[in-house]
């Protein structure tokens, strides 16, 4: 006979010590971890993440509180190096259908290095990404032309993009179509307008937003913890704290090029099967880089990851 105090649910919010868990019938419970849950081969600062499906047991005498004792195996996740614990990682969210990376050319500018690191992480876990090029209302004609060039460059290698603005409403209907019937992660640097964008797409949420600092042209963190919201039946979005720097986790250097689609399709064309595309003779990637068939900015991102240099340029 089933234990009436044992339940299963979806983690909607994580604050580090407490988790908001939603059952299939829509009931919400505040839960904490029972003891230590060890994840196989994964050293993380947060064993439970938003998007996890967990089993929990109601606490006696507690009002809608429970103890999580099991995590269902994850289909995928987005992960980064922990900013607080050395040698640990931090899971941003789990069991995602797709990710929307909000980027901006101005106020503030999102670096190609950051974008490409996010795309590599998503590629490693088979998560489709659409790039949202936000704040198009701030563009002059020259910037708008450059934006289109960037959109085309990423679209050619499999990352579609939408140019959007919360001021003019450009691109919002297309984003709404993408969200329907999916669990979608929103991510990006602080200050790119992520929370404002979500508020336009789902006005009822009323997420906190902040202005850009005039002094630094950097965004201030408005989202403190990752949180999932239900917009409609089977339609969820996950809002995440703004990321300053995205450290990659557990991708060996000899496998890195596999997660750059334009390099992956040339893997069998290099002279050496273990080519790292740095200075090897008869390297298909370097040959196509010279003639402009591979983007220089993408290749620079590849090299900065290989060399473990800063990704905020």
């Amino acid at each position: 006979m089933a234990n009436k105090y044992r339940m299963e649910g979806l983690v909607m919010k994580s604050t580090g010590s407490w988790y908001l868990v939603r059952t299939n019938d829509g009931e919400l419970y505040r839960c904490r971890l029972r003891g230590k849950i060890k994840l196989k081969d994964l050293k993380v600062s947060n064993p439970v993440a938003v998007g996890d499906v967990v089993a929990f047991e109601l606490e006696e005498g507690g009002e809608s509180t429970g103890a999580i004792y099991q995590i269902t195996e994850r289909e995928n996740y987005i992960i980064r190096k922990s900013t607080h614990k050395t040698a640990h990682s931090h899971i941003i969210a789990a069991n995602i259908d797709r990710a929307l990376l909000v980027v901006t050319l101005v106020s503030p500018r999102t670096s190609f290095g950051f974008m490409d690191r996010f795309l590599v992480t998503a590629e490693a876990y088979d998560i489709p990404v659409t790039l949202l090029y936000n704040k198009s209302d701030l563009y002059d004609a020259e910037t708008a032309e450059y934006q289109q060039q960037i959109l085309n460059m990423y679209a050619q290698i499999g990352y579609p993009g939408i140019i959007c603005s919360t001021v003019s409403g450009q691109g919002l209907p297309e984003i709404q179509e993408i969200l329907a019937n999916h669990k979608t992660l929103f991510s990006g640097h602080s200050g790119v307008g992520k929370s404002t964008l979500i508020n336009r797409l789902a006005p009822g949420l009323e997420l906190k937003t902040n202005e850009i600092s005039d002094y630094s042209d950097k965004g201030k963190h408005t989202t403190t913890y990752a949180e999932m919201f239900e917009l409609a039946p089977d339609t969820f979005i996950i809002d995440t704290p703004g990321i300053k720097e995205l450290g990659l986790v557990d991708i060996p250097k000899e496998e890195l090029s596999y997660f750059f689609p334009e390099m992956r399709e040339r893997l069998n064309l290099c002279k050496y099967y273990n080519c790292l595309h740095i200075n090897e003779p008869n390297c298909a990637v370097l040959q196509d880089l010279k003639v402009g068939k591979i983007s220089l900015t993408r290749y620079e991102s590849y090299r900065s990851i290989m060399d473990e240099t800063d990704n905020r340029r």
Side-chain angles (χ1 to χ4, degrees):
M1 190 169 117
N3 187 328
K4 66 178 180 178
Y5 295 109
R6 290 197 164 185
M7 310 178 81
E8 187 176 270
L10 178 67
V11 177
M12 303 292 286
K13 186 176 183 178
S14 159
T15 63
S17 53
W18 284 94
Y19 305 91
L20 190 64
V21 180
R22 178 188 184 276
T23 60
N24 288 335
D25 58 7
E27 294 292 320
L28 294 173
Y29 294 87
R30 290 179 72 238
C31 297
R32 51 190 160 196
L33 280 181
R34 172 179 291 167
K36 285 191 175 180
I37 294 180
K38 288 189 177 179
L39 299 176
K40 187 173 64 175
D41 301 327
L42 203 58
K43 207 172 179 182
V44 294
S45 57
N46 59 328
V48 176
V50 168
D52 273 331
V53 176
V54 297
F56 66 98
E57 195 168 50
L58 292 181
E59 295 181 330
E60 286 186 33
E63 190 175 328
S64 297
T65 61
I68 295 169
Y69 63 88
Q70 187 177 16
I71 303 171
T72 302
E73 186 175 351
R74 296 172 175 132
E75 292 178 15
N76 58 38
Y77 47 86
I78 292 281
I79 192 169
R80 57 173 293 189
K81 285 182 181 175
S82 173
T83 53
H84 305 296
K85 287 189 176 182
T86 308
H88 279 65
S89 306
H90 181 83
I91 298 172
I92 296 173
N95 302 317
I96 306 156
D97 294 323
R98 61 183 63 236
L100 299 180
L101 182 63
V102 185
V103 299
T104 45
L105 283 186
V106 292
S107 190
R109 182 184 73 84
T110 304
S111 71
F112 287 114
F114 175 84
M115 291 167 65
D116 293 332
R117 274 169 164 76
F118 186 92
L119 294 175
V120 165
T121 300
E123 197 75 37
Y125 297 99
D126 293 322
I127 299 169
V129 179
T130 297
L131 294 163
L132 302 186
Y133 301 99
N134 198 21
K135 303 189 182 181
S136 61
D137 54 285
L138 300 179
Y139 295 171
D140 56 22
E142 187 179 346
T143 308
E145 185 180 344
Y146 178 52
Q147 176 67 92
Q148 190 61 48
Q149 290 172 5
I150 294 172
L151 186 149
N152 293 342
M153 178 186 84
Y154 280 101
Q156 284 170 4
I157 55 174
Y159 302 113
I162 298 172
I163 296 174
C164 56
S165 165
T166 56
V167 176
S168 69
Q170 181 183 9
L172 299 189
E174 292 94 319
I175 300 171
Q176 289 280 20
E177 284 183 29
I178 290 175
L179 297 178
N181 301 312
H182 291 105
K183 284 192 185 80
T184 305
L185 171 78
F186 273 78
S187 193
H189 275 320
S190 302
V192 294
K194 183 168 49 66
S195 296
T196 304
L197 191 56
I198 293 174
N199 282 339
R200 282 296 306 271
L201 296 165
L205 297 183
E206 298 180 351
L207 302 184
K208 281 200 297 184
T209 61
N210 254 333
E211 296 299 319
I212 299 292
S213 162
D214 290 334
Y215 175 72
S216 65
D217 202 32
K218 294 284 194 297
K220 302 168 186 174
H221 290 287
T222 50
T223 305
T224 310
Y225 302 105
E227 185 167 5
M228 185 186 297
F229 303 95
E230 185 179 26
L231 303 190
D234 298 319
T235 300
F236 298 86
I237 60 171
I238 302 170
D239 186 24
T240 58
I243 303 171
K244 283 186 180 177
E245 187 174 358
L246 186 66
L248 295 188
V249 177
D250 293 338
I251 296 179
K253 289 184 178 182
E254 60 271 17
E255 295 177 15
L256 177 62
S257 63
Y258 185 81
F259 303 112
F260 281 75
E262 66 273 45
M263 295 186 189
R264 183 169 64 233
E265 67 182 27
R266 292 168 168 85
L267 286 183
N268 295 325
L269 302 177
C270 294
K271 180 178 180 180
Y272 300 107
Y273 77 93
N274 58 350
C275 185
L276 294 179
H277 321 302
I278 295 175
N279 53 18
E280 298 87 344
N282 296 327
C283 168
V285 169
L286 292 177
Q287 287 169 358
D288 281 351
L289 178 66
K290 283 180 183 176
V291 296
K293 290 183 179 178
I294 285 181
S295 155
L296 178 59
T297 58
R298 286 278 290 172
Y299 183 74
E300 286 175 342
S301 292
Y302 171 76
R303 286 299 302 269
S304 77
I305 296 171
M306 289 287 279
D307 300 337
E308 296 181 357
T309 52
D310 198 329
N311 67 77
R312 286 171 286 187
R313 288 180 297 133

